Amino acid sequence: MTTHIHAGTALITGASSGIGAIYADRLARRGHDLILVARNRSRLEALARRISDDTGRSVEIVTADLGQAADVRRIEALLRSDASITTLVNNAGIGAAAPLLVSDVDKMQAMIELNVTALTRLTYAAAPAFVARGEGTIINIASIVAVAPEILNGVYGGSKAFVLAFTQSLQHELAGKGVRVQAVLPGATRTEFWDIAGQPVENLPQAIVMSGDDLVDAALAGLDLGEVITVPSLPDDADWKALEAARAALGPNLSRDQPAARYGVAR
Ligand SMILES: NC(=O)c1ccc[n+]([C@@H]2O[C@H](COP(=O)([O-])OP(=O)(O)OC[C@H]3O[C@@H](n4cnc5c(N)ncnc54)[C@H](OP(=O)(O)O)[C@@H]3O)[C@@H](O)[C@H]2O)c1
């Protein structure tokens, strides 16, 4: 399908496979030109060719290792200087299934650099440019482990909790300035993520595994509905609203001049 709407350029990280490659396809069909970022050049080239043949959109590829500071800086510069970019999809990420006692801390740090540091720096590059233009969309791919960190590796869960909290803060700061933000919390999704994380997806109960196509289509439907947090699997969004209401209810008591009575610190 070829579309003639021009929706601006979407820069998608981790676009060479899985969820990012599907975002690339869907956003091109929605009328976006694309800048696809990942390490694997031949995969990016093949995807770019297919998408531009299918949709007629312009698709540029930029190879970068977002675990490397210099490469992240190159993408930041692109986000600052290319005024056609209207959408940033912070999707590149890696996970792990191993518990702390058998995990290599250097690998944990590398995960934080990709899942947290690169995402943060790219957002810091895009947000001021979007605010200056009065429009833009930032989609951050978190995970359900953001609210269920006991499921997989704890650093992975912590990194995705960061993405969720950071997105909530972005919404608070940027919504009034014309910038749309969304955190997407996929559950288990059938991609290469699981091989890299050391737990083949075939070993999971298939009733909890979603296809990448369904995941991205639901996430984009959530964006269209104006959701800030999208949990594609969650049947009843009242459950998420209840969590948010519980969080809001804590608000007035989270900071006080006295410790709670149960601690017995009487003055
Ligand atoms: N699959 C799931 O069950 C699941 C569930 C919840 C959340 N997620 C999140 O979804 C996002 C996408 O994962 P996926 O499931 O689509 O897995 P995937 O198929 O393994 O895709 C990961 C993408 O990130 C890129 N990437 C990895 N390391 C990179 C680096 N150092 N620099 C630049 N790009 C890098 C990979 O490309 P190159 O190798 O070419 O660099 C690839 O395009 C991740 O943030 C993941 O945490 C996945």
Side-chain angles (χ1 to χ4, degrees):
M1 185 188 78
T2 304
T3 172
H4 298 288
I5 307 158
H6 187 58
T9 300
L11 186 147
I12 305 166
T13 69
S16 64
S17 66
I19 292 168
I22 298 166
Y23 264 104
D25 177 80
R26 300 304 193 266
L27 291 177
R29 290 176 194 281
R30 284 176 169 228
H32 289 273
D33 291 333
L34 302 176
I35 300 175
L36 307 180
V37 179
R39 294 167 302 181
N40 188 318
R41 171 170 288 279
S42 59
R43 278 183 154 189
L44 287 174
E45 282 171 348
L47 181 68
R49 236 185 338 268
R50 179 178 67 72
I51 291 176
S52 61
D53 287 352
D54 285 355
T55 67
R57 305 289 358 157
S58 146
V59 186
E60 191 185 322
I61 63 169
V62 181
T63 52
D65 181 345
L66 297 176
Q68 301 296 321
D71 283 15
V72 177
R73 301 292 192 278
R74 270 199 293 123
I75 309 303
E76 288 174 51
L78 190 56
L79 285 163
R80 285 199 194 91
S81 63
D82 184 342
S84 76
I85 298 173
T86 56
T87 300
L88 167 64
V89 184
N90 274 312
N91 162 77
I94 45 171
L100 180 147
L101 295 179
V102 295
S103 298
D104 174 345
V105 71
D106 290 332
K107 288 196 173 142
M108 299 296 104
Q109 183 177 338
M111 183 157 58
I112 293 167
E113 276 156 13
L114 180 62
N115 294 7
V116 174
T117 308
L119 177 143
T120 303
R121 292 201 64 103
L122 298 186
T123 302
Y124 264 74
F130 290 173
V131 169
R133 284 175 231 143
E135 63 161 350
T137 301
I138 299 173
I139 300 171
N140 289 331
I141 306 302
S143 163
I144 52 111
V145 299
V147 290
E150 298 86 353
I151 293 180
L152 293 173
N153 171 275
V155 176
Y156 180 59
S159 74
K160 294 302 187 177
F162 173 90
V163 176
L164 173 60
F166 184 50
T167 307
Q168 287 167 320
S169 153
L170 289 173
Q171 166 69 8
H172 175 67
E173 293 191 21
L174 301 181
K177 298 183 165 61
V179 181
R180 271 197 307 180
V181 300
Q182 182 195 30
V184 179
L185 277 60
T189 310
R190 203 168 291 109
T191 68
E192 294 168 16
F193 169 92
W194 289 94
D195 298 321
I196 296 161
Q199 187 177 120
V201 73
E202 295 73 30
N203 294 355
L204 299 177
Q206 293 306 294
I208 68 159
V209 182
M210 192 178 286
S211 75
D213 288 310
D214 285 350
L215 183 274
V216 173
D217 288 337
L220 285 170
L223 182 72
D224 294 340
L225 288 170
E227 289 183 355
V228 176
I229 312 293
T230 296
V231 188
S233 294
L234 199 65
D236 187 353
D237 77 339
D239 290 341
W240 186 269
K241 289 188 176 124
L243 177 67
E244 284 296 291
R247 197 165 73 86
L250 289 172
N253 289 318
L254 287 174
S255 184
R256 298 173 72 93
D257 62 356
Q258 298 289 322
R262 69 183 174 282
Y263 299 119
V265 188
R267 298 262 180 257

